[in-house]
Amino acid sequence: AVAVRCGAASSCCFTSHRRAALSAAGRVAQPHMSAHIRTRQHLLVLLTTGYAVALRQGPSDQSKRTSLTFGQRLVAGGTSRMAGQLFLYPVDALRTMTQSRPAASVGTVALLRQLGAQKLLSGCVTTSAFAVLVGGLQFSIIGSLSPAIGTCGASIFGAFGSCLASVPQEVIKQRLIMGVYPNFATAVSTIARSEGILGFYSGWLPTASRNVPFVVATFTSHAFMQRRLLARKASREGAALTVEENLVLGISSALVGALVTQPMDVIKTRMMTQASSGAVPYTSIANCISTMWKAEGATSFFRGLPQRTVYMGPLWAIQFAMNSWVTERMLRNRH
């Protein structure tokens, strides 16, 4: 694997370790290439089958008038996700630093000084472009499947579907933030050359293990609270949720999901950013968990929870509120 430079002045001491880390990442990915490919093929079949269930039932005349098409949901969900991520990117970058392995040794503040405050915006626009697909896939798949299989089942399909875009986004974004690569173009070309296409899906298993329960918990709790709130307002004919109410629901549902999935979020970050550390690289998810437990204790699995809470709450508040607002505008224009 190709050795990469870190933005810190002391990075020269870590060159050999970085080379070993990137090599390890390649070794983890390559021997099981066919297994990974089969797994992703199975997920695609699962998504296709689930979506076919919704299409087979066919929308009623009433639903056609009161719901968006798959493409419209893709636009509404994608734009809302990108807007939220662009606005909150520095907070997410700080969360990544806090959860990383170097921060466990020197502390977040010292690591931020070492990397430079500019890293809080590294890759902001380029990686946030992935958010259009991430949010679009989540909201369009869940919105299309929910009438057929319910919010919980639809959320599972939506979570897996969005991983096709969210895993490469996280790999590139977190390595840029940690100074593994100097810019987006270098990151893409180096990963493609040294690790192949599977390099963009490094850490996909812990990412999926985090995304599925998070998305399910967030969307199901949001749907539950939304139904309860609408039931209270049912006495007023035509009453709908305000932007403020959607913001509160988004924050509340995201906090539920964040608490449930925090340990897997830390593990995902460690696996994706270990090339920035001078420590011996993790060889697997199990090795990552055992090493963290022995060296740092149980509290290490909740590193970055305050930063993630500050990020996820407003992010999903913006997503749900803006998605609802865009949906209403699209339905009005249809008439």
Side-chain angles (χ1 to χ4, degrees):
V2 179
V4 294
R5 295 184 60 197
C6 178
S10 59
S11 62
C12 58
C13 300
F14 298 149
T15 301
S16 60
H17 291 291
R18 284 210 185 98
R19 187 180 294 113
L22 289 174
S23 260
R27 289 196 301 271
V28 170
Q30 296 299 331
H32 304 288
M33 181 181 296
S34 59
H36 284 302
I37 292 174
R38 286 197 301 272
T39 300
R40 285 199 292 275
Q41 288 174 338
H42 292 160
L43 292 178
L44 287 173
V45 170
L46 186 65
L47 288 169
T48 304
T49 303
Y51 188 49
V53 172
L55 293 178
R56 185 182 303 170
Q57 293 196 359
S60 63
D61 291 338
Q62 176 65 21
S63 66
K64 288 180 181 178
R65 293 192 296 270
T66 59
S67 64
L68 301 180
T69 64
F70 185 89
Q72 288 173 322
R73 288 192 178 102
L74 196 67
V75 173
T79 54
S80 62
R81 172 78 180 203
M82 185 174 184
Q85 188 162 312
L86 277 171
F87 181 69
L88 295 163
Y89 192 90
V91 181
D92 188 37
L94 189 61
R95 185 265 311 174
T96 296
M97 291 184 184
T98 303
Q99 292 180 345
S100 69
R101 205 170 183 180
S105 302
V106 302
T108 304
V109 175
L111 180 61
L112 180 59
R113 289 173 180 168
Q114 178 180 324
L115 294 176
Q118 72 277 4
K119 286 299 179 182
L120 294 178
L121 292 174
S122 182
C124 177
V125 176
T126 49
T127 61
S128 291
F130 284 90
V132 176
L133 282 176
V134 176
L137 287 170
Q138 283 178 350
F139 279 91
S140 56
I141 292 173
I142 294 172
S144 298
L145 292 178
S146 289
I149 61 177
T151 303
C152 183
S155 298
I156 295 175
F157 287 105
F160 276 120
S162 64
C163 281
L164 296 174
S166 65
V167 177
Q169 177 196 35
E170 287 293 299
V171 170
I172 297 170
K173 177 184 70 177
Q174 295 190 352
R175 292 187 184 183
L176 286 173
I177 291 169
M178 293 303 298
V180 178
Y181 305 114
N183 54 61
F184 181 82
T186 301
V188 173
S189 61
T190 304
I191 293 172
R193 184 173 61 253
S194 62
E195 302 176 53
I197 189 65
L198 291 182
F200 294 100
Y201 288 88
S202 174
W204 74 269
L205 182 57
T207 304
S209 300
R210 178 208 63 174
N211 279 5
V212 173
F214 177 84
V215 172
V216 170
T218 300
F219 274 87
T220 53
S221 60
H222 181 272
F224 173 77
M225 290 185 286
Q226 185 181 55
R227 285 195 300 268
R228 294 292 297 271
L229 187 56
L230 286 173
R232 290 182 182 180
K233 302 175 70 171
S235 57
R236 290 175 286 172
E237 186 176 351
L241 297 183
T242 64
V243 173
E244 292 78 11
E245 288 170 334
N246 274 308
L247 286 171
V248 172
L249 290 182
I251 292 174
S252 302
S253 57
L255 293 181
V256 173
L259 288 172
V260 171
T261 60
Q262 181 62 19
M264 285 309 302
D265 188 59
V266 175
I267 295 168
K268 172 204 66 102
T269 300
R270 291 293 182 94
M271 294 295 292
M272 287 182 174
T273 63
Q274 61 176 329
S276 67
S277 171
V280 177
Y282 304 118
T283 57
S284 64
I285 295 175
N287 177 252
C288 177
I289 294 172
S290 62
T291 302
M292 289 176 62
W293 183 273
K294 293 175 183 177
E296 304 171 48
T299 57
S300 64
F301 294 96
F302 290 90
R303 290 184 64 88
L305 181 59
Q307 292 88 342
R308 187 176 181 224
T309 300
V310 171
Y311 170 68
M312 298 305 294
L315 173 68
W316 283 89
I318 292 172
Q319 282 189 90
F320 279 118
M322 186 172 176
N323 181 73
S324 177
W325 183 84
V326 173
T327 297
E328 290 178 6
R329 296 302 181 278
M330 286 182 172
L331 289 175
R332 288 180 185 176
N333 292 336
R334 178 182 295 179
H335 300 297

